[in-house]
Amino acid sequence: MCSSVFLTMCSSVFLTMCSSVSAESYSLGDITVTESFSYPTNGRSGAGYFTLTNDGPADVLMDVTADFPRVMMHQSLMQDGVMTMKHRMMVAVPALGELEFAPGGYHVMFMGLSDRWTGGDEIEASLQFKNAGTLDIKFTVTERP
């Protein structure tokens, strides 16, 4: 009996973890974006994360646009024991590779928010690639794990 209760609890935790990011994927040519998500906000800025897979030649993510006063790509870096954020004008997308925008690394910053984001909200954005073109995606707002 204990093992079936344990398995039920593990299954529930696993399903919760899997549903914490968007199950939708977005594709444009050789580029696929999966697991696009954001966390709820309590201020005037929010961040967006996703996994980008490239099944073709190298490309460059040139820009991210959305209906907010400022949208920028940043990279979190540890420098001299202090976490800093650097603005990135563009991000190289490796050939036949994967690029992750995740907490503590690359991320999209949405600034000048007028409303808070809460679980279930969808944030629309467009990713502009040098070669592939423009890919429209949605970041699903999910509670922090």
Side-chain angles (χ1 to χ4, degrees):
M1 173 154 165
C2 286
S3 62
S4 66
V5 170
F6 178 74
L7 287 174
T8 301
M9 287 174 42
C10 287
S11 296
S12 177
V13 168
F14 177 75
L15 288 173
T16 300
M17 287 172 39
C18 289
S19 66
S20 68
V21 294
S22 174
E24 196 164 351
S25 68
Y26 307 89
S27 295
L28 177 67
D30 294 323
I31 303 288
T32 301
V33 171
T34 56
E35 302 173 7
S36 52
F37 71 98
S38 293
Y39 291 127
T41 60
N42 57 10
R44 297 200 32 92
S45 64
Y49 311 102
F50 56 87
T51 300
L52 190 155
T53 304
N54 183 6
D55 292 326
D59 206 334
V60 178
L61 179 56
M62 303 290 291
D63 198 12
V64 179
T65 58
D67 193 18
F68 298 101
R70 291 183 71 197
V71 180
M72 301 170 75
M73 292 182 288
H74 285 162
Q75 183 180 17
S76 296
L77 298 165
M78 185 66 73
Q79 292 181 329
D80 300 322
V82 176
M83 185 64 81
T84 63
M85 278 195 302
K86 295 227 181 225
H87 174 233
R88 297 295 182 206
M89 295 295 291
M90 58 187 73
V91 177
V93 179
L96 303 173
E98 187 173 281
L99 178 63
E100 188 173 27
F101 276 58
Y106 287 110
H107 56 279
V108 178
M109 287 296 302
F110 301 96
M111 294 164 279
L113 307 183
S114 57
D115 297 318
R116 290 180 178 209
W117 297 349
T118 59
D121 288 349
E122 291 186 333
I123 311 307
E124 295 180 0
S126 296
L127 310 180
Q128 281 92 37
F129 296 92
K130 182 177 182 180
N131 300 317
T134 301
L135 178 60
D136 294 330
I137 69 170
K138 292 180 184 175
F139 295 89
T140 301
V141 178
T142 63
E143 296 299 324
R144 291 184 183 271

